[in-house]
Amino acid sequence: MTQQAEVSSKVSDVVVVGGGIVGLSCAWSALREGATVTMVDRDFEGDRASHGNAGGIAVTETTPIAVSGMYTKALKWLFDPLGPLSLDWKHLPSALPWLVAFQRCGNKERFRAISLALAQLNDRVYQDIVPMFEDIGAMKQLYRRGAMTVYETDEAFAADQREWTFKRELGVRWRALSQAEVQALEPSLAPVFRHGVFLEDWSHIGDPKQLVTQLRDRVRALGATFVSGTVTRLDMSASLAPAAVTDTDEHIRGRRIVVATGAWSAALAESIGDRVLLDSERGYNTTLPEHGIGLSREVIFAERKFVATPLDIGVRIGGAAEFAGLKAPPNYKRSDALLALGKRFLPGINDAGAVKWMGHRPATPDSLPVIGRSPRASSVIYAFGHGHLGLTQSATTGALVADLLAGRTPGINLEPYSISRFRN
Ligand SMILES: Cc1cc2nc3c(=O)[nH]c(=O)nc-3n(C[C@H](O)[C@H](O)[C@H](O)COP(=O)(O)OP(=O)(O)OC[C@H]3O[C@@H](n4cnc5c(N)ncnc54)[C@H](O)[C@@H]3O)c2cc1C
């Protein structure tokens, strides 16, 4: 066998770098179309955002995080050490370009364009996620019971009306709830919520980590090869198929490479000259396996910016947006602060056996993921940057990537998610 033949016999149709929920969904879609797939991850079993998230299929989240006027609120939060937003000042120099871009997304036109792009993705979430869940046997853990946003004050409820009206224009179904209706739907809540908004299309799953395991097992059963390794760069040398190159200089070659390394994706994009603004928006939670309360659906606490989800493994209480980079150790006082709020608003909740967790949301300043081909190398496809919505948009991202891999025109316009938007 010649050296060239030897190399090409090891070339998969697709190499997917990153074995979180997004990378696995891309692999699943490609395998179902008959492609050969190699998955690469530095630690397939290791912890990551996909394992510990809140478990929400949050299709009604169709507006970006950056909202006009948010800066005043953000500044106030920054001075509260355990408030919903925090910035490690040592991280400020590297976060600055991201923060400047974030601020620009609050302007009316950008806000509208981003919202349309989010709605376009979220509109088809169930169309993509249901077949994937059916195939991996996860439908029983998809709880389509809606979610509820709750408000302590008339002022906060009134202030959000513009955004709710706008969301309705985008196709989001919601209805306002009185204090009595909130209480009737979730009797475990403290009787302090003067208003609620019921979101019938939001759902939640039983256990994000279990979902990743089920999907990984299915991807393995469909024939994917699994390679453990830390990818440090992509290699696009002209004579051979593109390669994901590991820190031990292993070249894992594929006709196409999908970059799905979550919050760690910027370095790989930059290795072939693509600039991206991506930061880790660190989130915290605590899971209470012996909670002892009855909660039917995810509850979003509007003023305090946290959520409680009734997972199969316990009630998970979490939130927070901490900008401290990928390497700083977790500050679990944030989990404690969120748990204290949870105990206040879900009185009687039992915290025996509580498990604290921190994860890195892969956040772009405009809250839109990066999905699409690299403008530098058409054999490289990006699938990262899903921020708060990576679980929600996982199967849809996989389906869109499969379209690109097969050379089909995707069913939606991918322009808003292109990495090219970070060029300037
Ligand atoms: C507190 C919190 C709550 C959340 N709640 C929700 C929610 O309710 N609903 C929702 O939709 N989303 C939620 N999210 C967001 C969601 O979890 C993420 O958007 C999603 O998990 C991102 O998935 P991913 O596959 O892109 O990244 P990850 O899950 O981070 O996976 C990336 C993978 O890439 C691997 N990797 C990284 N670098 C390399 C490298 N150089 N070489 C090899 N492998 C590498 C890692 O080991 C990892 O396995 C939440 C996130 C947090 C933190």
Side-chain angles (χ1 to χ4, degrees):
M1 210 192 246
T2 65
Q3 197 195 356
Q4 184 63 51
E6 227 173 78
V7 171
S8 57
S9 70
K10 289 183 194 157
V11 174
S12 303
D13 292 330
V14 190
V15 169
V16 179
V17 189
I21 191 72
V22 174
L24 287 167
S25 301
C26 294
W28 179 84
S29 292
L31 285 158
R32 301 260 296 177
E33 301 212 350
T36 54
V37 173
T38 300
M39 296 277 329
V40 194
D41 199 293
R42 58 180 176 219
D43 179 6
F44 283 103
E45 305 284 340
D47 203 4
R48 67 213 53 181
S50 302
H51 276 185
N53 61 54
I57 307 298
V59 293
T60 54
E61 292 298 273
T62 50
T63 49
I65 308 290
V67 186
S68 137
M70 167 138 186
Y71 260 55
T72 333
K73 260 194 211 165
L75 279 175
K76 203 177 88 191
W77 287 333
L78 285 175
F79 286 101
D80 173 358
L82 295 176
L85 174 71
S86 71
L87 173 67
D88 176 346
W89 298 106
K90 291 191 287 300
H91 184 59
L92 181 59
S94 48
L96 206 54
W98 191 103
L99 291 169
V100 170
F102 176 78
Q103 193 255 338
R104 287 193 188 128
C105 295
N107 92 44
K108 214 170 152 187
E109 259 168 52
R110 278 296 287 142
F111 183 85
R112 192 175 173 81
I114 293 167
S115 302
L116 288 171
L118 280 171
Q120 178 182 240
L121 274 182
N122 290 0
D123 261 4
R124 53 174 283 177
V125 158
Y126 288 108
Q127 177 191 320
D128 297 314
I129 219 168
V130 167
M132 188 171 90
F133 277 26
E134 277 172 347
D135 185 59
I136 67 172
M139 279 307 280
K140 273 202 196 127
Q141 291 83 39
L142 175 64
Y143 300 107
R144 296 189 75 164
R145 299 181 189 155
M148 185 164 68
T149 300
V150 291
Y151 291 87
E152 294 156 68
T153 62
D154 297 344
E155 293 73 26
F157 182 61
D160 275 2
Q161 285 314 298
R162 229 170 70 185
E163 193 171 339
W164 285 121
T165 306
F166 177 53
K167 280 191 173 177
R168 186 168 275 151
E169 278 170 36
L170 293 170
V172 171
R173 297 194 290 175
W174 63 268
R175 67 186 155 87
L177 300 171
S178 67
Q179 182 160 8
E181 286 170 323
V182 167
Q183 210 58 44
L185 274 169
E186 294 298 349
S188 292
L189 286 172
V192 296
F193 297 101
R194 295 182 52 77
H195 303 275
V197 170
F198 187 75
L199 300 154
E200 64 182 278
D201 293 320
W202 186 308
S203 55
H204 69 273
I205 61 165
D207 177 1
K209 184 165 192 238
Q210 172 65 19
L211 179 75
V212 171
T213 305
Q214 273 172 267
L215 185 55
R216 192 174 55 232
D217 288 350
R218 182 68 182 133
V219 161
R220 202 186 295 275
L222 286 169
T225 304
F226 281 65
V227 176
S228 292
T230 300
V231 176
T232 52
R233 66 184 175 89
L234 305 180
D235 180 63
M236 297 288 125
S237 53
S239 56
L240 296 170
V245 185
T246 69
D247 54 354
T248 56
D249 209 33
E250 192 180 352
H251 286 55
I252 303 155
R253 296 196 185 277
R255 287 175 192 88
R256 308 285 163 76
I257 295 186
V258 177
V259 177
T261 39
W264 295 268
S265 302
L268 297 187
E270 276 158 18
S271 76
I272 56 165
D274 282 325
R275 177 179 186 253
V276 61
L277 289 173
L278 184 75
D279 207 337
S280 159
E281 186 192 327
R282 298 151 53 115
Y284 289 83
N285 59 42
T286 305
T287 308
L288 308 172
E290 296 171 34
H291 53 87
I293 59 161
L295 193 67
S296 302
R297 56 187 59 76
E298 189 161 354
V299 177
I300 302 109
F301 297 82
E303 288 100 327
R304 315 282 173 162
K305 308 281 173 226
F306 78 101
V307 303
T309 320
L311 301 176
D312 294 348
I313 51 171
V315 169
R316 181 165 283 170
I317 294 172
E322 179 189 58
F323 289 86
L326 289 163
K327 292 189 178 140
N331 174 4
Y332 287 119
K333 284 188 186 150
R334 293 198 188 290
S335 302
D336 296 339
L338 292 164
L339 178 58
L341 285 173
K343 285 179 165 175
R344 182 164 150 200
F345 294 118
L346 291 162
I349 198 164
N350 176 5
D351 64 3
V355 180
K356 298 176 196 180
W357 179 83
M358 185 276 284
H360 298 279
R361 297 184 192 95
T364 59
D366 56 14
S367 304
L368 291 174
V370 179
I371 306 171
R373 282 185 217 288
S374 159
R376 306 251 167 191
S378 59
S379 50
V380 173
I381 295 171
Y382 295 123
F384 62 82
H386 297 74
H388 290 230
L389 294 176
L391 166 64
T392 306
Q393 296 169 346
S394 55
T396 295
T397 302
L400 294 169
V401 166
D403 284 339
L404 295 175
L405 290 169
R408 292 188 296 266
T409 305
I412 61 172
N413 172 18
L414 292 190
E415 191 65 35
Y417 324 108
S418 166
I419 201 165
S420 305
R421 68 190 194 269
F422 300 107
R423 261 191 205 145
N424 304 315

mmCIF file of all heavy atoms in Angstrom, residues 218-244:
data_model
loop_
_atom_site.group_PDB
_atom_site.id
_atom_site.type_symbol
_atom_site.label_atom_id
_atom_site.label_comp_id
_atom_site.label_asym_id
_atom_site.label_seq_id
_atom_site.Cartn_x
_atom_site.Cartn_y
_atom_site.Cartn_z
ATOM 1 N N ARG A 218 -25.675 6.148 20.978
ATOM 2 C CA ARG A 218 -26.333 5.923 19.685
ATOM 3 C C ARG A 218 -25.374 6.251 18.527
ATOM 4 O O ARG A 218 -25.325 5.527 17.531
ATOM 5 C CB ARG A 218 -27.595 6.800 19.608
ATOM 6 C CG ARG A 218 -28.389 6.635 18.353
ATOM 7 C CD ARG A 218 -29.046 5.256 18.252
ATOM 8 N NE ARG A 218 -29.767 5.109 17.009
ATOM 9 C CZ ARG A 218 -29.680 4.046 16.203
ATOM 10 N NH1 ARG A 218 -28.915 3.016 16.524
ATOM 11 N NH2 ARG A 218 -30.376 3.997 15.092
ATOM 12 N N VAL A 219 -24.630 7.330 18.707
ATOM 13 C CA VAL A 219 -23.660 7.727 17.671
ATOM 14 C C VAL A 219 -22.608 6.619 17.521
ATOM 15 O O VAL A 219 -22.207 6.260 16.409
ATOM 16 C CB VAL A 219 -23.034 9.102 18.044
ATOM 17 C CG1 VAL A 219 -21.743 9.367 17.306
ATOM 18 C CG2 VAL A 219 -24.052 10.217 17.770
ATOM 19 N N ARG A 220 -22.217 6.028 18.638
ATOM 20 C CA ARG A 220 -21.259 4.912 18.588
ATOM 21 C C ARG A 220 -21.902 3.715 17.870
ATOM 22 O O ARG A 220 -21.296 3.109 16.990
ATOM 23 C CB ARG A 220 -20.861 4.523 20.017
ATOM 24 C CG ARG A 220 -19.536 3.777 20.117
ATOM 25 C CD ARG A 220 -19.292 3.292 21.535
ATOM 26 N NE ARG A 220 -19.127 4.354 22.509
ATOM 27 C CZ ARG A 220 -17.989 4.974 22.774
ATOM 28 N NH1 ARG A 220 -16.911 4.635 22.106
ATOM 29 N NH2 ARG A 220 -17.916 5.934 23.676
ATOM 30 N N ALA A 221 -23.156 3.430 18.230
ATOM 31 C CA ALA A 221 -23.843 2.277 17.620
ATOM 32 C C ALA A 221 -24.046 2.473 16.109
ATOM 33 O O ALA A 221 -24.056 1.511 15.348
ATOM 34 C CB ALA A 221 -25.189 2.056 18.305
ATOM 35 N N LEU A 222 -24.178 3.728 15.697
ATOM 36 C CA LEU A 222 -24.355 3.994 14.258
ATOM 37 C C LEU A 222 -23.020 3.909 13.503
ATOM 38 O O LEU A 222 -22.979 4.094 12.301
ATOM 39 C CB LEU A 222 -24.987 5.376 14.047
ATOM 40 C CG LEU A 222 -26.493 5.497 14.378
ATOM 41 C CD1 LEU A 222 -26.941 6.961 14.380
ATOM 42 C CD2 LEU A 222 -27.345 4.688 13.399
ATOM 43 N N GLY A 223 -21.943 3.673 14.236
ATOM 44 C CA GLY A 223 -20.671 3.373 13.569
ATOM 45 C C GLY A 223 -19.589 4.428 13.668
ATOM 46 O O GLY A 223 -18.536 4.281 13.031
ATOM 47 N N ALA A 224 -19.784 5.477 14.457
ATOM 48 C CA ALA A 224 -18.739 6.499 14.555
ATOM 49 C C ALA A 224 -17.497 5.940 15.257
ATOM 50 O O ALA A 224 -17.605 5.072 16.125
ATOM 51 C CB ALA A 224 -19.258 7.715 15.323
ATOM 52 N N THR A 225 -16.347 6.452 14.856
ATOM 53 C CA THR A 225 -15.093 6.122 15.540
ATOM 54 C C THR A 225 -14.840 7.205 16.579
ATOM 55 O O THR A 225 -15.038 8.389 16.288
ATOM 56 C CB THR A 225 -13.930 6.129 14.507
ATOM 57 O OG1 THR A 225 -14.272 5.213 13.472
ATOM 58 C CG2 THR A 225 -12.601 5.767 15.132
ATOM 59 N N PHE A 226 -14.401 6.809 17.759
ATOM 60 C CA PHE A 226 -14.150 7.792 18.823
ATOM 61 C C PHE A 226 -12.648 7.885 19.073
ATOM 62 O O PHE A 226 -11.998 6.871 19.313
ATOM 63 C CB PHE A 226 -14.881 7.392 20.116
ATOM 64 C CG PHE A 226 -16.341 7.733 20.087
ATOM 65 C CD1 PHE A 226 -17.199 7.117 19.191
ATOM 66 C CD2 PHE A 226 -16.856 8.692 20.936
ATOM 67 C CE1 PHE A 226 -18.551 7.451 19.140
ATOM 68 C CE2 PHE A 226 -18.204 9.030 20.909
ATOM 69 C CZ PHE A 226 -19.058 8.407 20.004
ATOM 70 N N VAL A 227 -12.133 9.101 19.009
ATOM 71 C CA VAL A 227 -10.700 9.319 19.255
ATOM 72 C C VAL A 227 -10.569 10.322 20.402
ATOM 73 O O VAL A 227 -11.163 11.403 20.357
ATOM 74 C CB VAL A 227 -10.007 9.902 17.988
ATOM 75 C CG1 VAL A 227 -8.543 10.224 18.269
ATOM 76 C CG2 VAL A 227 -10.141 8.953 16.812
ATOM 77 N N SER A 228 -9.792 9.959 21.428
ATOM 78 C CA SER A 228 -9.560 10.893 22.534
ATOM 79 C C SER A 228 -8.332 11.729 22.223
ATOM 80 O O SER A 228 -7.279 11.180 21.886
ATOM 81 C CB SER A 228 -9.307 10.131 23.836
ATOM 82 O OG SER A 228 -10.489 9.491 24.207
ATOM 83 N N GLY A 229 -8.459 13.018 22.333
ATOM 84 C CA GLY A 229 -7.315 13.892 22.074
ATOM 85 C C GLY A 229 -7.728 15.347 22.142
ATOM 86 O O GLY A 229 -8.887 15.684 21.896
ATOM 87 N N THR A 230 -6.754 16.194 22.491
ATOM 88 C CA THR A 230 -7.008 17.633 22.532
ATOM 89 C C THR A 230 -6.565 18.235 21.210
ATOM 90 O O THR A 230 -5.384 18.178 20.853
ATOM 91 C CB THR A 230 -6.209 18.281 23.688
ATOM 92 O OG1 THR A 230 -6.630 17.665 24.901
ATOM 93 C CG2 THR A 230 -6.440 19.779 23.756
ATOM 94 N N VAL A 231 -7.499 18.781 20.482
ATOM 95 C CA VAL A 231 -7.171 19.361 19.171
ATOM 96 C C VAL A 231 -6.655 20.782 19.394
ATOM 97 O O VAL A 231 -7.299 21.590 20.077
ATOM 98 C CB VAL A 231 -8.413 19.349 18.251
ATOM 99 C CG1 VAL A 231 -8.119 20.040 16.930
ATOM 100 C CG2 VAL A 231 -8.873 17.911 18.024
ATOM 101 N N THR A 232 -5.483 21.066 18.831
ATOM 102 C CA THR A 232 -4.886 22.389 19.041
ATOM 103 C C THR A 232 -4.989 23.270 17.798
ATOM 104 O O THR A 232 -4.882 24.492 17.885
ATOM 105 C CB THR A 232 -3.406 22.275 19.436
ATOM 106 O OG1 THR A 232 -2.765 21.451 18.460
ATOM 107 C CG2 THR A 232 -3.256 21.662 20.821
ATOM 108 N N ARG A 233 -5.170 22.641 16.638
ATOM 109 C CA ARG A 233 -5.284 23.442 15.418
ATOM 110 C C ARG A 233 -5.877 22.601 14.294
ATOM 111 O O ARG A 233 -5.944 21.371 14.399
ATOM 112 C CB ARG A 233 -3.916 24.005 14.991
ATOM 113 C CG ARG A 233 -2.933 22.965 14.560
ATOM 114 C CD ARG A 233 -1.558 23.559 14.248
ATOM 115 N NE ARG A 233 -0.603 22.496 13.959
ATOM 116 C CZ ARG A 233 -0.370 21.972 12.765
ATOM 117 N NH1 ARG A 233 -1.010 22.448 11.691
ATOM 118 N NH2 ARG A 233 0.500 20.996 12.589
ATOM 119 N N LEU A 234 -6.276 23.292 13.227
ATOM 120 C CA LEU A 234 -6.723 22.594 12.029
ATOM 121 C C LEU A 234 -5.625 22.732 10.989
ATOM 122 O O LEU A 234 -4.949 23.765 10.932
ATOM 123 C CB LEU A 234 -8.028 23.211 11.510
ATOM 124 C CG LEU A 234 -9.183 23.285 12.521
ATOM 125 C CD1 LEU A 234 -10.418 23.920 11.890
ATOM 126 C CD2 LEU A 234 -9.512 21.901 13.073
ATOM 127 N N ASP A 235 -5.438 21.701 10.194
ATOM 128 C CA ASP A 235 -4.398 21.740 9.169
ATOM 129 C C ASP A 235 -5.052 21.588 7.801
ATOM 130 O O ASP A 235 -5.780 20.625 7.554
ATOM 131 C CB ASP A 235 -3.385 20.622 9.410
ATOM 132 C CG ASP A 235 -2.292 20.635 8.370
ATOM 133 O OD1 ASP A 235 -1.564 21.640 8.311
ATOM 134 O OD2 ASP A 235 -2.203 19.658 7.590
ATOM 135 N N MET A 236 -4.779 22.565 6.949
ATOM 136 C CA MET A 236 -5.434 22.598 5.640
ATOM 137 C C MET A 236 -4.429 22.397 4.508
ATOM 138 O O MET A 236 -4.538 23.021 3.470
ATOM 139 C CB MET A 236 -6.114 23.964 5.428
ATOM 140 C CG MET A 236 -7.218 24.268 6.392
ATOM 141 S SD MET A 236 -8.635 23.264 6.013
ATOM 142 C CE MET A 236 -8.890 22.499 7.564
ATOM 143 N N SER A 237 -3.396 21.587 4.740
ATOM 144 C CA SER A 237 -2.374 21.456 3.690
ATOM 145 C C SER A 237 -3.023 20.940 2.400
ATOM 146 O O SER A 237 -3.900 20.069 2.436
ATOM 147 C CB SER A 237 -1.236 20.554 4.150
ATOM 148 O OG SER A 237 -1.769 19.353 4.592
ATOM 149 N N ALA A 238 -2.566 21.487 1.309
ATOM 150 C CA ALA A 238 -3.252 21.310 0.032
ATOM 151 C C ALA A 238 -3.332 19.855 -0.442
ATOM 152 O O ALA A 238 -4.352 19.422 -0.960
ATOM 153 C CB ALA A 238 -2.566 22.162 -1.019
ATOM 154 N N SER A 239 -2.272 19.069 -0.215
ATOM 155 C CA SER A 239 -2.219 17.759 -0.870
ATOM 156 C C SER A 239 -3.038 16.681 -0.162
ATOM 157 O O SER A 239 -3.392 15.677 -0.757
ATOM 158 C CB SER A 239 -0.764 17.317 -0.976
ATOM 159 O OG SER A 239 -0.214 17.327 0.316
ATOM 160 N N LEU A 240 -3.312 16.855 1.130
ATOM 161 C CA LEU A 240 -4.037 15.816 1.871
ATOM 162 C C LEU A 240 -5.387 16.356 2.346
ATOM 163 O O LEU A 240 -5.631 17.560 2.322
ATOM 164 C CB LEU A 240 -3.216 15.389 3.089
ATOM 165 C CG LEU A 240 -1.865 14.725 2.805
ATOM 166 C CD1 LEU A 240 -1.073 14.588 4.088
ATOM 167 C CD2 LEU A 240 -2.078 13.362 2.159
ATOM 168 N N ALA A 241 -6.233 15.436 2.813
ATOM 169 C CA ALA A 241 -7.517 15.881 3.379
ATOM 170 C C ALA A 241 -7.249 16.725 4.617
ATOM 171 O O ALA A 241 -6.240 16.545 5.298
ATOM 172 C CB ALA A 241 -8.345 14.659 3.730
ATOM 173 N N PRO A 242 -8.139 17.659 4.938
ATOM 174 C CA PRO A 242 -7.952 18.491 6.130
ATOM 175 C C PRO A 242 -7.822 17.646 7.390
ATOM 176 O O PRO A 242 -8.364 16.542 7.449
ATOM 177 C CB PRO A 242 -9.232 19.326 6.194
ATOM 178 C CG PRO A 242 -9.949 19.115 4.923
ATOM 179 C CD PRO A 242 -9.374 17.936 4.227
ATOM 180 N N ALA A 243 -7.114 18.195 8.369
ATOM 181 C CA ALA A 243 -6.894 17.419 9.598
ATOM 182 C C ALA A 243 -7.157 18.256 10.836
ATOM 183 O O ALA A 243 -6.898 19.459 10.861
ATOM 184 C CB ALA A 243 -5.457 16.901 9.633
ATOM 185 N N ALA A 244 -7.668 17.575 11.871
ATOM 186 C CA ALA A 244 -7.691 18.141 13.219
ATOM 187 C C ALA A 244 -6.414 17.627 13.875
ATOM 188 O O ALA A 244 -6.198 16.418 13.953
ATOM 189 C CB ALA A 244 -8.919 17.636 13.970
#
